[in-house]
Amino acid sequence: MKRTVLSAAAAVAVLASTFASPVFAADQDKQFFEGVQGEWSGAGEVVAGKYKGTKFNCNFTGSSHAQKVGMALDGSCRVGMFTQVMSARFEKNGKTYFGTFLDGAEGKGLNVTSGNVTGDKAVFGLHRAQLRGAMLARLADPETMNVTISVRVNEEMVPVIGMSLKRIDMTAVGAIAKN
């Protein structure tokens, strides 16, 4: 469960479709994904469940698809001396998103079964066996992304992971150097 929860957190930087016209929605989604491109690093914590209080650090590289709406995320998360490689692939198919974390629900990961992007935030539906959950990613500003992973317990969504990532690539360095 701990690995599954951390795998969902890796998904950290990625997300889905909107309201308005399909062209506007695709442009808005693509703009969000472009904002997630680059290098990210930050700390997180398991805030509920068996591993409550466990702190971890993650490093990711986000890239958007050239021809499709979606993205890839690669990196790792570290808990103490243990490191878990993370990867995620998302792409829009029709009006929603589908993809995988790690090797998907058929392996040791999760499937992305839905998604929605609205402005500076995206929400993805997550699934593995009986586990149903959601990942919310919000770009607080161009250099900060906050991620919350929640799971469904009975009829309620319970937050289990919180993470705050900072941009560490040349975009942030260049912005600082100009000031």
Side-chain angles (χ1 to χ4, degrees):
M1 176 71 172
K2 184 175 186 177
R3 211 175 251 191
T4 301
V5 170
L6 287 176
S7 298
V12 130
V14 286
L15 325 167
S17 88
T18 83
F19 49 94
S21 75
V23 172
F24 177 76
D27 289 344
Q28 184 175 358
D29 291 9
K30 191 169 183 89
Q31 184 176 22
F32 180 87
F33 289 122
E34 288 171 354
V36 175
Q37 290 184 123
E39 305 291 323
W40 297 87
S41 182
E45 182 176 354
V46 178
V47 296
K50 182 178 178 180
Y51 299 103
K52 181 178 181 176
T54 300
K55 296 182 187 309
F56 56 91
N57 289 293
C58 297
N59 294 299
F60 301 110
T61 300
S63 58
S64 60
H65 291 297
Q67 280 88 26
K68 301 175 184 177
V69 176
M71 72 174 298
L73 185 69
D74 294 293
S76 63
C77 289
R78 183 176 39 82
V79 176
M81 295 176 42
F82 300 99
T83 300
Q84 172 69 45
V85 172
M86 299 291 174
S87 66
R89 305 282 182 268
F90 302 87
E91 74 179 53
K92 193 166 191 174
N93 186 353
K95 294 183 179 185
T96 193
Y97 282 84
F98 296 94
T100 59
F101 293 113
L102 299 176
D103 54 356
E106 293 75 31
K108 295 182 180 182
L110 297 160
N111 286 341
V112 174
T113 58
S114 62
N116 184 47
V117 174
T118 306
D120 63 354
K121 72 178 178 180
V123 179
F124 287 107
L126 305 173
H127 176 250
R128 176 183 175 81
Q130 280 70 38
L131 174 74
R132 300 270 190 241
M135 179 186 78
L136 167 68
R138 188 175 72 79
L139 289 167
D141 59 57
E143 310 305 318
T144 307
M145 180 169 32
N146 297 312
V147 178
T148 303
I149 306 294
S150 300
V151 297
R152 183 173 300 282
V153 178
N154 297 321
E155 296 300 314
E156 187 177 339
M157 292 298 282
V158 177
V160 293
I161 291 180
M163 183 185 323
S164 183
L165 301 169
K166 292 289 186 181
R167 184 180 297 280
I168 59 169
D169 58 10
M170 292 307 292
T171 304
V173 173
I176 293 167
K178 289 178 185 176
N179 290 334

